[in-house]
Amino acid sequence: GQNIDQPTEMTATEGAIVQINCTYQTSGFNGLFWYQQHAGEAPTFLSYNVLDGLEEKGRFSSFLSRSKGYSYLLLKELQMKDSASYLCAFMDSNYQLIWGAGTKLIIKP
Amino acid sequence: IAGITQAPTSQILAAGRRMTLRCTQDMRHNAMYWYRQDLGLGLRLIHYSNTAGTTGKGEVPDGYSVSRANTDDFPLTLASAVPSQTSVYFCASSDGGGEYNEQFFGPGTRLTVL
């Protein structure tokens, strides 16, 4: 079967670094996506990984290990505006996205 | 129009009524999707369309139907609404139906079925 898991909620301090983990199981894999979703708004694309390793994009980085079924999103120099839910999703063998329930990130001053 | 628009923004509907949620994109994307988002659950795919004239069923298609008469529009119809269809509905589009395709989301429709 297919499943995907990420923590429900995390808290971090402004200016700090936080790592949000995502684990998945699937027989067919075509990449791992991270999206950001502010409360009451639509999800917006952050990153895509299809090969193992780290992809860096400004303050945000995403890592993938296909052999371990594991990804993480690393947010550096946290700002209050980073308070949001972060959605992990993998693309299955039918090129459909299977979504995690999202991790709500709370930033404290 | 820029991106994807959805209408209505929100709606309260009596059970048993028919309802169509509208979705329009101006990016000339081939693929379009309808998701529902419920608290504690991930986005779940209802129906999708890889190109105009074709549609497919997602994870939770029962009680919903779609059509794709042209590239821009992808309406979602609830033939006879039930309370379990209370949810936030997102329409999305992407440039392709396979491999890497970043999905762009509309602002969502909040639907309450009483």
Side-chain angles (χ1 to χ4, degrees):
Chain A
Q2 297 177 323
N3 65 75
I4 183 165
D5 193 40
Q6 54 182 129
T8 302
E9 187 175 294
M10 299 182 70
T11 302
T13 304
E14 190 177 16
I17 298 173
V18 71
Q19 178 175 311
I20 303 174
N21 296 324
C22 173
T23 57
Y24 63 90
Q25 282 185 313
T26 179
S27 55
F29 179 81
N30 284 299
L32 193 291
F33 290 78
W34 284 96
Y35 279 73
Q36 180 189 59
Q37 185 177 26
H38 285 101
E41 297 183 8
T44 56
F45 171 80
L46 287 177
S47 69
Y48 171 74
N49 295 67
V50 67
L51 299 176
D52 288 354
L54 188 68
E55 294 278 345
E56 297 185 78
K57 194 185 291 186
R59 293 190 299 114
F60 292 8
S61 302
S62 57
F63 172 83
L64 176 67
S65 168
R66 289 172 299 172
S67 63
K68 295 182 180 177
Y70 169 68
S71 173
Y72 67 73
L73 181 70
L74 191 71
L75 293 75
K76 303 176 186 175
E77 301 168 16
L78 286 169
Q79 302 174 10
M80 297 304 293
K81 68 179 182 179
D82 297 329
S83 292
S85 288
Y86 292 86
L87 314 181
C88 173
F90 68 83
M91 182 169 285
D92 70 8
S93 56
N94 294 317
Y95 299 102
Q96 301 298 346
L97 289 179
I98 307 300
W99 298 80
T103 299
K104 182 179 181 180
L105 179 63
I106 299 167
I107 310 295
K108 295 187 174 180
Chain B
I1 299 176
I4 301 183
T5 58
Q6 293 184 236
T9 302
S10 66
Q11 182 75 44
I12 299 174
L13 191 66
R17 297 297 295 269
R18 181 184 179 89
M19 175 75 191
T20 295
L21 308 185
R22 300 184 298 279
C23 175
T24 299
Q25 54 106 356
D26 67 353
M27 297 176 283
R28 308 305 293 172
H29 283 170
N30 286 318
M32 297 187 75
Y33 313 85
W34 273 106
Y35 293 96
R36 59 178 291 173
Q37 187 175 40
D38 302 289
L39 263 177
L41 299 175
L43 288 160
R44 291 183 292 169
L45 183 65
I46 304 170
H47 285 286
Y48 66 93
S49 169
N50 285 334
T51 189
T54 69
T55 62
K57 293 182 179 180
E59 180 186 355
V60 289
D62 293 345
Y64 306 95
S65 64
V66 292
S67 61
R68 187 86 185 278
N70 57 60
T71 299
D72 299 344
D73 301 301
F74 192 43
L76 176 74
T77 298
L78 288 69
S80 179
V82 295
S84 62
Q85 292 177 311
T86 293
S87 188
V88 180
Y89 290 86
F90 287 103
C91 179
S93 72
S94 66
D95 202 20
E99 299 183 342
Y100 168 67
N101 63 109
E102 173 190 346
Q103 293 186 13
F104 295 83
F105 285 79
T109 294
R110 185 173 296 274
L111 181 67
T112 302
V113 182
L114 301 176

